[in-house]
Every structure is written in C-alpha cells, then in structure tokens.
C-alpha cells in the first residue's frame, strides 16, 4: 500500500515535470510557430523522450493548447490584481491599462503566441474549454469599473467593456508585435527603454480620456 506522503511526492514530481515541459514548449512554439515546432526538439531540450511528453499531453496539438491556456491564464491572473473595491474608477482603469502594458512588455513570447494563433484563425483556442471561459473575468472587471465610473460621474462615454479591452490590448500588443516593421519603416524601436515610461503613461491616459468623453465628436 502506497503511503500518502509518497503519493503527494509523486504528484509534485509530475506537476513539476509538466510545468517544465510547458516552459520549454512555449519557447519552441513562440520561436517556430505551431507548424514549425517539433516535439522531438522539445524532448531533446528537456533531455527526455517524445513518449514522455505524449504521456503528459497526448499530442502536439494538445501540448500547444496547454501552452496557450497557461499563457492566457497568466494574463488573467495579472488582471485580477486590480483592486476595484479600493480604487477610484479612473485609477482602476488606468491601473488595468498599465498592468496590461507591463505584462505584454515583459512577456514577449505571449505576443508571439497570440500572433501565431491568429494566423491559425484561433483554431486551437476554439478547442479549449478553459480558454473559452477565460475572457469573462476581465470583461466583468471592466464592467464593474465602468459602472462605478458612470455612477460617480467620472466617465461620461457609454462604453462597451469589449471595446475598452480592445483599446488597451491593441496599444500594448502593437508596440511589441510590430516593433520590427515599425522600426524599419520609421526608424524607432518602440520597445526601447527610453520610450517605455512615456508609452505606459499614454495607454492609461488614452483610455481615461476616452471614458471622460475626450474623444467624443461635437
């Protein structure tokens, strides 16, 4: 009969191995894309076998979906740190924008994975039940901020939560995803350290200005 401590230790080992595979796989998928990444190479980098990877994830596609689930879950975890109950609406939405900026700036592989999955027209995201439900928390968060801002009089624009999320994501995503083409065309590295603080402030002010009616047509 196996003791409970031994069972827990095996579970910890399995969880650790699974996490290590996901980390290596994320690097490979972000670097080579879904089609270009090879499970053989992931196994070699892990110093394990392809059979072991399939034992944990079943197939290359399931491994890729697990990588996407992990990457998106990390974004949602950052968003959950916004303390709506103790922040004024303007500060709350600015904080959400700045946290999103910080996450995308620090997690360049997430940007690559999203771009790759868009090439595949979200084929793999649609197969994940977990990812199908991951968009709800951030929309709920934004709606709570918008409701509070409308009630306080801080926000006058009748904003849609998805539109607000799109505005924040578009700015934060573009500066990383398009840094090379933008740099080649305009001679500026958008991700250079000297631009970071200004751009971080820009995304917060952009969304606050929109919600305060700054973008309304006369």
């Amino acid at each position: 009969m196996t003791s409970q401590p031994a069972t827990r230790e095996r579970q910890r080992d399995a969880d650790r191995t699974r996490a290590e595979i996901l980390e290596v796989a994320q690097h490979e998928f972000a670097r080579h894309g879904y089609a270009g990444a090879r499970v053989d190479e992931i196994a070699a980098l892990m110093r394990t076998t392809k059979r072991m990877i399939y034992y944990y994830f079943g197939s290359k596609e399931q491994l890729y979906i697990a990588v996407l689930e992990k990457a998106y879950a990390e974004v949602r975890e950052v968003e959950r740190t916004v303390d709506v109950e103790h922040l004024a609406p303007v500060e709350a939405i600015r904080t959400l924008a700045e946290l999103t900026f910080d996450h995308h700036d620090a997690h360049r592989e997430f940007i690559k994975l999203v771009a790759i999955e868009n090439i595949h027209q979200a084929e793999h995201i649609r197969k994940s039940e977990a990812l199908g439900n991951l968009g709800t928390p951030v929309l709920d968060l934004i709606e709570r901020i918008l409701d509070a801002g409308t009630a306080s009089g801080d926000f006058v624009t009748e904003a849609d939560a998805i539109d607000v999320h799109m505005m924040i994501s578009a700015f934060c995503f573009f500066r990383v995803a398009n840094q090379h083409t933008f740099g080649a065309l305009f001679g500026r590295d958008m991700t250079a350290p000297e631009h970071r603080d200004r751009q971080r402030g820009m995304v917060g002010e952009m969304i606050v200005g929109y919600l305060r009616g700054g973008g309304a047509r006369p």
Side-chain angles (χ1 to χ4, degrees):
M1 184 176 179
T2 305
S3 66
Q4 286 187 347
T7 301
R8 285 196 295 269
E9 183 60 31
R10 279 202 301 272
Q11 184 60 51
R12 281 195 293 270
D13 288 343
D15 291 344
R16 185 161 51 246
T17 299
R18 193 175 189 279
E20 289 170 354
I21 293 171
L22 281 175
E23 182 154 355
V24 173
Q26 176 174 304
H27 295 325
E28 289 300 295
F29 284 125
R31 182 179 179 187
H32 300 291
Y34 174 68
R38 296 285 180 264
V39 177
D40 286 327
E41 181 62 21
I42 295 169
L45 291 169
M46 284 287 302
R47 297 184 179 179
T48 186
T49 63
K50 187 159 66 172
R51 178 181 294 182
M52 177 64 74
I53 292 175
Y54 286 153
Y55 170 80
Y56 282 100
F57 294 98
S59 68
K60 176 183 176 180
E61 182 179 50
Q62 290 175 28
L63 174 60
Y64 176 66
I65 290 172
V67 166
L68 290 174
E69 289 173 346
K70 171 180 173 290
Y72 273 97
E74 288 171 351
V75 182
R76 299 290 91 93
E77 194 61 37
V78 169
E79 292 161 349
R80 275 193 284 269
T81 64
V82 179
D83 187 1
V84 177
E85 305 301 329
H86 298 94
L87 288 174
V90 169
E91 194 57 33
I93 200 67
R94 182 183 282 117
T95 298
L96 176 62
E98 291 175 348
L99 285 173
T100 303
F101 181 97
D102 291 343
H103 175 274
H104 289 11
D105 186 58
H107 297 83
R108 307 291 174 88
E109 287 184 348
F110 170 74
I111 305 300
K112 292 180 180 179
L113 289 169
V114 174
I116 289 163
E117 185 59 7
N118 271 286
I119 291 171
H120 291 278
Q121 300 180 354
E123 171 190 348
H124 306 95
I125 283 180
R126 296 182 201 281
K127 295 179 180 180
S128 168
E129 184 177 342
L131 286 171
N133 297 323
L134 267 181
T136 303
V138 68
L139 295 182
D140 289 345
L141 172 65
I142 293 172
E143 285 174 356
R144 288 168 62 199
I145 297 172
L146 294 178
D147 288 345
T150 300
S152 68
D154 288 307
F155 301 156
V156 300
T157 301
E158 292 185 13
D160 176 78
I162 293 179
D163 286 346
V164 171
H165 180 57
M166 179 185 68
M167 287 178 69
I168 295 171
S169 296
F171 186 101
C172 299
F173 188 94
F174 182 93
R175 67 180 288 275
V176 178
N178 292 52
Q179 60 180 296
H180 303 296
T181 51
F182 199 91
L185 290 170
F186 301 107
R188 174 177 291 181
D189 178 0
M190 292 189 293
T191 61
E194 62 266 27
H195 303 309
R196 188 183 187 281
D197 288 347
R198 185 184 73 258
Q199 292 169 348
R200 189 176 188 267
M202 283 171 62
V203 66
E205 290 307 312
M206 176 183 73
I207 197 66
V208 170
Y210 168 69
L211 293 174
R212 282 177 160 169
R217 294 181 179 180

